[in-house]
Each structure stands twice: as C-alpha cells, then as structure tokens.
Amino acid sequence: MSTNTVDNQRKVTTLRLAEMKARGEKIAMLTAYDYSMAKLIDEAGMDVILVGDSASNVMVGNTTTLPMTLDQMIYHARSVTNGTKRALVVCDLPFGTYQGNSKEALASAVRIMKESGAEAVKIEGGAEIRESIERILCAGIPVMGHLGLTPQSINKFGTYAVRAKEEAEANKLIEDAKMLEEIGCFAMVLEKIPAELAKRVAESVSIPVIGIGAGGGCDGQVLVMHDMLGINKGFSPKFLRRYADLSTVINDAVGHYIDDVKSGDFPNANEQY
Ligand code: KIV
C-alpha cells in the first residue's frame, strides 16, 4: 500500500486527475494487462492503470507494439477492469485502428469502452490524427494523448532514441501538446524527450502531463510494470528504475518447486487428501 494516504479510497476520475495537477500532487500510472496484477496494483494505491499496447512486447514477446489487435486489447482491458476498483483504467488504441479515418477511430474507441469497461483511451500522435481524437471526444470518451517517442511509429523513426532534441521537432511537439489541450484531451503522455522540454510543456498546459523518460518536471510518471518489477530484465534504459527483482524471486521459487517434486518432498502428508 502506498504511503500517500490522500484520498486513498476514492475512485480516480479524469476530473480528479485535473484536481491533482491543480494542487501539485503527482500522478502515479503503471501498466497492467491481467486481472491478478491489476488487483495488486490497484490495492497498492495506483492512480491510473494503463492497458498499454506494450502488452505486445511483455505479454506476447513481439519486438514491436504493431501486431496488437483491437480484440486483444479489449481482452487485456477487460481482465484489468475486472481487478480494478479505484484506479482510472485507460486502454491504448492499437496500431491501425484509428489512423484510417475518424469514423473508424470512433468505432474502435466505442468497442473498447463497451466491451472492456475501460474509462478512457490513449492514442498516439498529434495534428495528423486531430480529427480522429475530436470525433472520439465528441462521443463523450475521454482521450489521453501520447507524444514524443510513439512506439507505433517505430518503423518511421527507425530508432528508439530520445525524440525532439532538435528545435523543429520540439516546436511541433509543443504545438501538438497545445492542440491536445485545446480540443479537450484530459491528459497526455510524453515519452522519451528531453526533461527541459517536458517541463516546459507541463508548465504551459492545464491538463496533466505524464512522463516516461521525460524527467521529473512532468505532473506524473508511467512505467511498464514488467520493467519496474524486474520481470523483464533484458530492457534497461537510463530512465528506468527497478523496484523489485521478480525474475530472481520467480526463478528461485520455481527452481525450489522443481527440486521438491523431483526429490519427492512435495507433496508431504499435510498437502494431500
Ligand atoms: O504501451 C505502453 O505501455 C505505453 C507506455 C509506455 C506509456 O504506451
């Protein structure tokens, strides 16, 4: 359980996130993809649970997020909402389900809301997908933007390196962030951009800015659960802080179980009927 006792039991809504930003309270967000982990993360006091399309990497073992389908996202999001009582649950719109046209984007977002019980969607991109975001917002669906390193565009970028280091890209990001605020997004993620730029954006928009690899000047932080719990030890970017070494814990526990089965120690007389 978090040591932060402010409003620990109260349901988190988009309105509460706005209030948190207004009073300078940082927002904690973490990914989850299944019922059991969502329940643990929610009970620990998380503000926002993101059903990220990073499920493609950490749950399926793909090298990019691109293969994730709408059906798969809905399956993960339903599992997460089943385990969540307090946190706001946000679900990613996967690659190819919103870029074609705004009606397709709305249909995808509606399916997520109806079939998974998620309370908002996240969508990658700026001006180029404005119409899609606006149509989703018109239907009363809260939208979280996502700028900077947008992993669904990895084939265009050709690298997972820090984005918006050059002035032109930084200026476009600032414009996109203002646009997301203006059209009514409730929050945005800024991924892997210089800390100074992220701080500037967070200070210039009224909606919460959640960073990942974007420094401490953001209004909140998000990490991928498998990375911060040390389940996925092959991924060690500079921005990542590991809070546990679960791969070692699991390896030791599973090894112990195998030894006990092989030696006949498990089950013992008290562990049978
Ligand atoms: O899919 C995801 O997990 C994300 C976070 C990295 C922000 O988009």
Side-chain angles (χ1 to χ4, degrees), residues 31 33 50 52-54 92 122 124 146 189 191 212 222 224:
T31 67
Y33 317 95
L50 171 67
D53 59 0
S54 50
D92 265 338
K122 179 165 78 60
E124 294 185 8
H146 185 156
V189 165
E191 180 165 354
I212 173 163
V222 56
V224 169

Side-chain angles (χ1 to χ4, degrees), residues 1-270:
M1 173 69 86
S2 156
T3 50
N4 175 12
T5 51
V6 183
D7 287 338
N8 242 351
Q9 302 305 317
R10 228 173 112 206
K11 172 73 188 148
V12 179
T13 61
T14 55
L15 181 64
R16 279 199 63 207
L17 296 180
E19 291 166 358
M20 287 168 81
K21 167 151 180 155
R23 64 172 178 260
E25 182 184 340
K26 297 273 187 182
I27 296 164
M29 173 160 132
L30 189 63
T31 67
Y33 317 95
D34 69 277
Y35 166 80
S36 301
M37 290 307 293
K39 191 162 183 295
L40 289 173
I41 290 169
D42 187 54
E43 286 168 358
M46 193 60 57
D47 298 313
V48 184
I49 296 183
L50 171 67
V51 186
D53 59 0
S54 50
S56 181
N57 308 101
V58 298
M59 299 299 289
V60 190
N62 294 320
T63 53
T64 74
T65 57
L66 274 68
M68 220 58 196
T69 67
L70 193 55
D71 284 340
Q72 288 167 333
M73 289 308 298
I74 290 168
Y75 169 84
H76 286 293
R78 172 47 71 191
S79 314
V80 167
T81 59
N82 283 346
T84 306
K85 286 193 178 131
R86 177 184 173 275
L88 180 84
V89 177
V90 181
C91 180
D92 265 338
L93 274 173
F95 176 68
T97 64
Y98 60 90
Q99 294 95 338
N101 62 63
S102 61
K103 287 190 178 158
E104 184 197 16
L106 175 59
S108 304
V110 166
R111 275 202 64 202
I112 286 180
M113 301 298 281
K114 271 175 119 68
E115 297 176 40
S116 78
E119 295 151 318
V121 297
K122 179 165 78 60
I123 180 164
E124 294 185 8
E128 56 288 345
I129 55 156
R130 176 180 180 141
E131 200 184 306
S132 290
I133 300 175
E134 282 180 320
R135 196 179 278 269
I136 296 170
L137 287 166
C138 278
I141 299 172
V143 176
M144 176 181 273
H146 185 156
L147 302 173
L149 177 65
T150 45
Q152 292 176 14
S153 302
I154 185 58
N155 293 308
K156 184 173 103 186
F157 297 149
T159 169
Y160 283 103
V162 177
R163 303 303 314 175
K165 282 164 91 174
E166 308 300 330
E167 200 180 333
E169 195 179 338
N171 287 339
K172 174 167 174 3
L173 188 140
I174 291 168
E175 284 309 304
D176 283 342
K178 284 187 187 149
M179 182 274 292
L180 293 177
E181 176 193 30
E182 208 178 280
I183 65 176
C185 289
F186 75 94
M188 74 185 81
V189 165
L190 294 183
E191 180 165 354
K192 223 170 172 187
I193 63 168
E196 205 46 52
L197 174 62
K199 185 168 182 280
R200 215 173 123 196
V201 173
E203 285 171 355
S204 63
V205 298
S206 59
I207 59 174
V209 171
I210 316 288
I212 173 163
C218 297
D219 305 305
Q221 298 293 325
V222 56
L223 285 175
V224 169
M225 181 247 295
H226 289 65
D227 301 338
M228 63 84 83
L229 290 180
I231 296 171
N232 172 27
K233 280 183 44 186
F235 181 66
S236 297
K238 182 181 174 185
F239 68 78
L240 176 64
R241 187 179 294 180
R242 283 199 207 291
Y243 288 83
D245 182 7
L246 287 198
S247 70
T248 302
V249 171
I250 292 169
N251 199 276
D252 287 352
V254 172
H256 199 160
Y257 166 68
I258 293 169
D259 290 346
D260 286 355
V261 170
K262 302 270 183 201
S263 69
D265 183 72
F266 176 78
N268 64 26
N270 294 326

